[in-house]
């Protein structure tokens, strides 16, 4: 049975990857599951310089979901390249997708240029959709022109294929996806989190220090499946689907919708074995439906 | 890969309400129990699928021989409400032990173990496991719990906010009223208490080791939800923050900003 | 204790109402709860002529939520005015908000003009945010200019205060709210459903006959609270909040965020007594916090 | 307001697995039982908060004296899976009885009661309650269930798809093979079966009364989720649709398009 998929010339042995920001720099989960089983490890967003992130509380639970406002805390590209990336050498069979964040186009460019020289970075995922930082982030991702502009700049400097990570907080996701494609993106990934808020009614203030946060988890899956379905039908580049995947059945919704690969985020917090179960569950489903190639899933 | 750690399906041996709103839960989870140390915690998962995030609960005691773990927790929100309904023979999904516990060979010879409110449970396991001179100081709003058991492991001083038992006031009042001293303080409880103890320790030249709390999502260092501010740049995170779930929950008070 | 609120000159005895489309024409629930306890009954969307709605399946369950693609089936304004509206006479103490839908501006105008003459219609809620009909509906609600245009036209002809019901499927909800306000809306209500999709992986096709549907229920509450919070701070007209309210605590999040009133939809399907519990729960909370007027809730 | 109906918290008396995947659940719900009639259904609510919508399950039997209701259902998805775990003494939230059942004074003197697959359970209650001449025809994939009890209320003919019992094939095959006749047909089962029976009834000049299924959200006529196509404009809805939950689930086959 062939589970392997090709994203922009890079072959993943299976279509399952971690969602950025939920899997640290790849090794934190290693005691609890085998990162080497994944098609790709997607690392936490990394920026040109270390970022402090937001004040706490940074997370809140919501019905079948959660809000986070981590604010892209990260040790900066130097530490990431010198320490975290080499750590991933041991999963030789698993591709590495580095998630990149920035406040300005120059920030992104710096990080992309730096990662272009790193053999262990197979693909770059550009986060233009984080709702939790004041500058940059989502600001780039909510307007087709700026999606196009930033994509174009990065595509020009990047020696690695780039995946533009799209925000669901838009009127028309296909417009953003087309802008990314036109700008030269090799793939798009979606969805990042939906902007949400929870109010602590006893303390009479927003529960998150940052006031708003990003909603993730099974709660948002129907929105994610819809956007992936639409995007697959709007662009020719591969679409990586995510948002609320907690089981093989959930992942299959995205693959049937036409996603080339899927990422699992919030569900890892509930059960670190989720991604392993997703991989084996996809296999079993394909077996049961007499499919010998994962590409046959697509409707 | 070998030697991987796994979530454990724990069996409820027994559960009782110790005092109103505070549950005493005994579970059987041999693998987790075997590895547990005082100050570490477990992630407890809800059965209800609408609640995804783990509830971090400190290990109150373990019996390595029977594989039992004791958890004492306050029923606050929906998750702990769900746990409080568990009866003998039912199961609960747990992950742990997590985090770094208290130093058991701390390099000093006497310690004041200070607890406040729902910070008290892990200190029982600590008091049991720490073989140096111990004085125990526990602060409660009013009704006491775990006090009889704690008293078996050292002199116990109690403070209650309403004065119904021991010193009227907080743990600092109890320490001062009783003129207690020690080389160091180990503590768990609300932030204001920890802050007061940190100051007290600085003033009296005592080392202060504290257990922190923060909202968590992964419990294993991957999501960066649970950070606290650290006085120095953390070697791993490369900024002035530390993860309560991984570098903590136990910290030298000098390491963190309260 | 004063629970009454004023929406565009109309006084509701309490801030709790049914969400349109989940409460029929007001009397279907009467065996199971007392509609007369509500601040207002909001009726199912009504159009100029009878609408067939979509094919079935029209609903699907999702984690802590549901998708619906009813497609605004309704018996048309004639039957509504002659039969359903008089039925509501018996709840003299409870205001009636009639939800209006249309495919063209003329459709809306016809219904609004007709309802303008009906004493039992206290307020009109204009649904420009239904994701489940091909024409009209959401098409009016996803662009600030068209929100402004349609609002203006309806405000001109309506003799009743109008509430524009906004879609959450937009990049910036405040832009839509401001357009409604500028067009002469007396209030805005939000959120309608988020467009979503569920795929039946065994039958290998979208579960809903309509393919996509509207996501509602607790799953979307964080998005709804966030949008209400933002909107309250962007416009001066009252904001009616809804989306995932299933308890008094949930309703309080919206009231604290600044909503003047709240509506309960999906939760009625799980427990018909939800709205009664919400009303009494708000009272208890106010008592506990020493508040004697519901307006004190607002942060 | 007086006389309001309420959801009932039902107590599980007993639950067993009748045949693999089909559960036999007996609950105590006196108010609901008192009002129940054959062909009506209940909304069953999940305990798990991530599942909001009711599961409509037909009433398989009631004991008005003890207030018991029997439900026989297939474990398919997550909700029925949850129900299947319920043991004696546990509770389940229900709402009902809902919808319009079968006519018990139907104005004809003999009837064929025809069931297929998981459409069979409500027909037991119907067979028990209908006091005219009854012939029963039940179709199963293979393993039969409820057949012994059904046989107590009339001559029972069985069809199995694999031919392991009775007529090999479907219920129409069984009717024809055994040359069965009656004034009317009352049926519950999959749409293809209902469609075949409707045609059979038209061909043989028999009245056909059927019970329909559709996905529901409110179960009480308010949301318009559960409509089926009707041949004539519905008096209430003012279009060619009827609500399965309110006008149905039992319809004269001539009223609806299959
Ligand atoms: C390291 C650590 C050890 C702890 N040990 C204990 C203990 O031994 N006994 C005890 O009673 N409590 C302990 N707590 C607090 C306990 O985790 C919370 O009371 C509990 O998570 C509340 O869950 P809930 O379902 O009742 O509340 P909900 O409000 O339903 O919880 C919603 C979410 O917020 C989180 N949350 C809510 N309150 C807290 C809190 N105070 N700290 C961290 N997360 C919170 C929950 O984990 C959950 O993810 C500890 C917390 C930490 C961080
Ligand atoms: C009037 C009526 C009477 C019924 N009586 C019986 C009965 O006596 N015994 C029995 O085994 N089944 C009966 N069914 C079917 C039963 O309702 C479904 O099998 C059940 O709802 C599936 O729930 P789930 O949690 O297993 O599936 P899930 O897939 O988890 O359900 C998800 C959602 O879809 C709905 N759904 C899924 N399948 C169906 C279906 N076939 N019909 C309606 N809704 C569905 C569920 O109610 C729920 O809202 C009846 C259906 C109707 C409409
Ligand atoms: C705690 C947390 C941190 C996240 N950090 C990032 C990040 O650094 N970069 C990014 O592109 N997305 C980030 N995301 C978004 C996820 O990668 C993913 O797009 C989203 O959570 C939806 O998937 P899920 O529902 O499976 O979690 C984060 C999500 C969570 C919950
Ligand atoms: C079955 C169903 C039908 C609905 N029909 C309408 C409608 O006719 N008009 C309208 O404006 N909104 C309609 N809505 C949207 C609700 O009024 C409400 O805005 C939305 O469901 C969010 O609230 P909730 O999460 O409490 O359900 C409908 C929602 C549901 C679930
Ligand atoms: S909870 Fe995720 S890093 Fe601590
Ligand atoms: S299920 Fe709501 S009308 Fe039938």
């Amino acid at each position: 049975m062939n589970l392997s998929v090709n994203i922009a010339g890079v072959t993943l042995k299976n279509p399952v990857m971690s969602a950025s920001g939920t899997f640290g720099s790849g090794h934190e989960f290693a005691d609890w599951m085998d990162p080497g089983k994944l098609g790709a490890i997607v690392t936490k967003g990394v920026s040109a310089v270390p970022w402090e992130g937001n004040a706490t509380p940074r997370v809140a639970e919501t019905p079948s979901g959660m809000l986070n406002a981590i604010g892209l805390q990260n040790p900066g590209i130097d530490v990431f390249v010198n320490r975290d990336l080499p750590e991933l050498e041991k999963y030789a069979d698993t591709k590495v997708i580095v998630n990149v964040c920035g406040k300005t186009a120059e920030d992104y460019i710096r990080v992309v240029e730096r990662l272009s020289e790193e053999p262990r970075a197979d693909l770059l995922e550009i986060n233009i959709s984080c709702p939790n930082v004041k500058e940059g982030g989502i600001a780039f991702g909510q307007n087709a022109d700026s999606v196009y502009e930033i994509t174009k700049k990065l595509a020009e400097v990047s020696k690695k294929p780039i995946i533009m990570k799209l925000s669901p907080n838009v009127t028309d996701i296909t417009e953003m996806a087309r802008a990314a494609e036109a700008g030269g993106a090799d793939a798009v990934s979606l969805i990042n989190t939906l902007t949400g808020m929870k109010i602590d009614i006893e303390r009479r203030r927003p529960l998150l220090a940052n006031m708003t946060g990003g909603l993730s988890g099974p709660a948002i899956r129907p929105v994610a499946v819809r956007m992936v379905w639409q995007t697959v039908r709007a662009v020719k580049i591969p679409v990586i689907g995510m948002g609320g995947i907690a089981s093989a059945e959930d992942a299959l919704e995205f693959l049937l919708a036409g996603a080339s690969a899927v990422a699992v985020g919030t569900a890892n917090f509930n059960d670190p074995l989720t991604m392993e179960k997703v991989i084996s569950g996809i296999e079993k489903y394909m077996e049961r439906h007499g499919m010998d190639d994962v590409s046959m899933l697509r409707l | 890969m070998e030697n991987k750690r796994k979530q454990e399906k724990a069996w409820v041996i027994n559960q009782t309400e110790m005092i109103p709103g505070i549950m005493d839960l005994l579970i059987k989870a041999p693998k987790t129990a075997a590895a547990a140390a005082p100050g570490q915690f477990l992630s407890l998962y809800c059965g209800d699928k609408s609640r995804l995030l783990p509830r971090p609960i400190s290990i109150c005691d373990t019996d390595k021989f029977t594989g039992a773990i004791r958890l004492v927790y306050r029923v606050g929100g929906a998750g702990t409400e769900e746990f409080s309904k568990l009866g003998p023979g039912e199961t609960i999904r747990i992950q742990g032990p997590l985090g770094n516990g208290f130093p058991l060979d701390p390099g000093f010879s006497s310690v004041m173990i200070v607890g406040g409110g729902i910070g008290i449970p892990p200190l029982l396991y600590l008091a049991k496991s720490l073989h140096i001179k111990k004085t125990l100081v526990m602060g409660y709003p009013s009704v006491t719990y775990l006090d009889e058991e704690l008293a078996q492991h050292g002199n116990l001083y109690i403070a209650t906010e309403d004065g119904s038992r021991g010193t009227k006031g907080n743990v600092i009042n109890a320490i001062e009223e009783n003129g207690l001293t020690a080389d160091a303080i180990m503590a768990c409880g609300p932030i204001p208490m920890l802050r007061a103890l940190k100051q007290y320790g600085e003033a009296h030249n005592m080392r202060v080791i504290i257990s922190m709390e923060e909202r968590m999502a992964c419990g294993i260092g991957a999501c960066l939800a649970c950070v606290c501010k650290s006085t120095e740049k953390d070697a791993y995170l490369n900024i002035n923050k530390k993860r309560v779930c991984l570098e903590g929950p136990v910290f030298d008070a000098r390491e963190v900003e309260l």
Side-chain angles (χ1 to χ4, degrees), chain A, chain B:
Chain A
M1 196 179 308
N2 179 29
L3 280 186
S4 75
V5 296
N6 183 303
I7 312 272
V10 178
T11 301
L12 277 56
K13 65 183 171 184
N14 67 55
V16 180
M17 52 179 82
S18 56
S20 176
T22 67
F23 202 65
S25 53
H27 64 87
E28 286 86 347
F29 268 88
D31 277 352
W32 302 94
M33 52 82 64
D34 182 359
K37 287 202 177 141
L38 300 178
I41 292 169
V42 185
T43 58
K44 171 79 187 161
V46 62
S47 54
V49 294
W51 282 7
E52 292 279 332
N54 294 321
T56 57
R58 287 179 169 184
V59 290
E61 194 179 58
T62 70
S64 295
M66 65 175 282
L67 290 166
N68 91 79
I70 307 296
L72 296 177
Q73 175 185 328
N74 77 86
I77 187 68
D78 286 343
V79 167
F80 179 79
V81 160
N82 297 327
R83 180 191 64 192
D84 298 336
L85 217 38
E87 269 285 318
L88 300 177
E89 298 286 354
K90 60 168 94 93
Y91 311 115
D93 219 17
T94 294
K95 302 300 176 194
V96 172
I97 303 181
V98 181
N99 186 277
V100 176
C101 55
K103 287 178 180 146
T104 62
E106 290 62 46
D107 282 352
Y108 284 106
I109 290 172
R110 243 176 89 187
V111 180
V112 166
E113 283 179 339
R114 180 76 184 271
L115 288 165
S116 288
E117 309 307 323
E118 291 299 324
R120 190 67 267 244
D122 296 294
L123 292 147
L124 307 184
E125 182 181 52
I126 315 298
N127 180 1
I128 51 167
S129 45
C130 180
N132 299 323
V133 288
K134 295 237 154 41
E135 312 137 83
I138 205 169
F140 287 103
Q142 285 185 314
N143 173 293
D145 292 339
S146 55
V147 170
Y148 173 80
E149 289 301 331
I150 185 82
T151 308
K152 193 149 182 289
K153 283 186 187 146
L154 297 180
E156 271 160 20
V157 299
S158 183
K159 294 185 193 151
K160 312 274 180 179
I162 59 170
I163 305 164
M164 299 306 288
K165 182 154 180 186
L166 304 181
S167 169
N169 301 292
V170 295
T171 306
D172 181 359
I173 191 77
T174 62
E175 207 193 323
M176 304 303 145
R178 277 190 298 256
E181 184 176 42
D186 298 286
V188 288
S189 60
L190 59 150
I191 61 176
N192 207 318
T193 54
L194 281 161
T195 311
M197 186 172 189
K198 180 166 177 172
I199 293 177
D200 185 330
I201 63 165
E202 291 308 322
R203 300 196 177 159
R204 295 176 54 69
R205 62 172 187 233
L207 199 149
L208 297 176
N210 190 52
M211 313 254 287
T212 59
L215 183 64
S216 62
I220 67 168
R221 193 168 63 236
V223 174
V225 171
R226 183 262 297 181
M227 289 188 168
V228 166
W229 173 280
Q230 292 176 326
T231 302
V232 163
R233 281 149 188 79
V235 296
K236 292 194 190 65
I237 50 178
V239 174
I240 300 170
M242 73 198 75
I245 297 177
S247 70
E249 288 71 33
D250 303 342
L252 284 159
E253 283 198 63
F254 287 86
L255 294 169
L256 266 65
S260 300
V262 295
V264 176
T266 302
N268 296 318
F269 304 154
N270 187 269
D271 179 358
L273 290 179
T274 304
M275 293 190 285
E276 296 189 16
K277 290 175 190 168
V278 167
I279 297 167
S280 64
I282 292 172
E283 267 177 319
K284 278 192 209 110
Y285 176 93
M286 285 171 56
E287 217 167 273
R288 193 152 51 77
H289 285 77
M291 299 174 177
D292 53 18
D293 193 295
V294 75
S295 66
M296 294 171 73
L297 286 169
R298 182 167 175 166
L299 293 182
Chain B
M1 307 255 301
E2 342 85 34
N3 239 349
K4 263 198 314 190
R5 300 175 69 190
K6 267 203 180 142
Q7 288 191 350
E8 204 167 351
K9 191 168 151 191
W11 295 82
V12 175
I13 301 170
N14 197 30
Q15 176 158 230
T16 56
E17 192 167 9
M18 295 190 96
I19 64 168
I22 296 196
M23 306 301 296
D24 188 357
L25 172 64
L26 199 64
I27 57 175
K28 193 176 174 90
K31 279 197 208 112
T32 310
Q40 287 189 303
F41 67 96
L42 303 184
S43 277
L44 267 57
Y45 296 87
C46 295
D48 191 290
K49 287 232 178 200
S50 71
R51 291 189 285 276
L52 302 174
L53 296 184
R55 271 59 183 170
I57 301 288
S58 299
I59 298 168
C60 170
D61 206 354
T62 60
D63 183 330
K64 309 261 174 186
F65 188 70
T66 61
I69 299 178
R70 184 180 182 187
L71 304 168
V72 171
Y73 64 93
R74 196 174 68 85
V75 179
T80 48
E81 174 78 25
E82 180 194 314
F83 302 149
S84 72
K85 302 276 191 293
L86 290 171
E90 295 191 86
T91 60
I92 177 169
R93 201 154 47 89
I94 65 169
Q95 184 167 318
L98 302 174
N100 286 306
F102 288 98
L104 296 183
D105 193 6
F108 43 74
S109 58
S110 70
V111 66
M112 235 187 298
I113 299 181
V114 185
I118 198 61
I120 291 173
L123 302 179
L124 176 63
Y125 191 19
L126 175 64
K128 272 194 174 181
S129 310
L130 199 58
H131 302 295
I132 58 174
K133 186 170 180 302
K134 292 163 284 190
T135 311
L136 310 177
V137 188
M138 301 292 145
Y140 302 88
S142 171
V143 192
T144 60
Y145 71 96
L146 281 182
D147 45 311
E148 289 178 24
E149 292 172 77
L150 284 161
Q152 294 169 21
H153 304 283
N155 282 335
L156 172 66
Y157 298 87
I158 285 177
T160 54
E161 280 163 33
D162 65 359
S164 58
R165 251 190 83 186
T167 303
K168 181 176 163 76
N170 58 31
V171 289
I172 301 282
N173 301 135
I175 293 170
E176 291 177 338
E177 187 174 294
N178 296 291
L180 307 178
T181 54
D183 296 345
I185 293 173
M186 291 188 182
C188 184
I191 291 286
M193 181 192 97
L194 298 180
R195 203 179 283 130
L197 288 170
K198 181 178 179 176
Q199 281 166 9
Y200 188 89
E202 276 162 13
H204 295 76
N205 204 17
M206 294 162 83
R207 204 174 147 200
V208 181
I209 297 168
I210 58 175
S211 179
M212 301 276 288
E213 263 192 24
E214 191 46 77
R215 291 192 180 239
M216 299 184 174
C218 71
I220 59 171
C223 74
L224 306 180
C226 67
V227 295
C228 60
K229 284 192 194 156
S230 59
T231 36
E232 316 245 303
K233 193 187 272 187
D234 179 69
Y236 185 78
L237 299 179
N238 202 29
I239 56 167
N240 287 25
K241 301 237 154 106
K242 286 183 179 291
R243 290 167 290 190
V244 170
C245 73
L246 200 69
E247 282 85 28
V250 175
F251 295 100
D252 191 302
R254 287 168 304 195
E255 288 179 290
V256 294
E257 281 183 26
L258 288 173

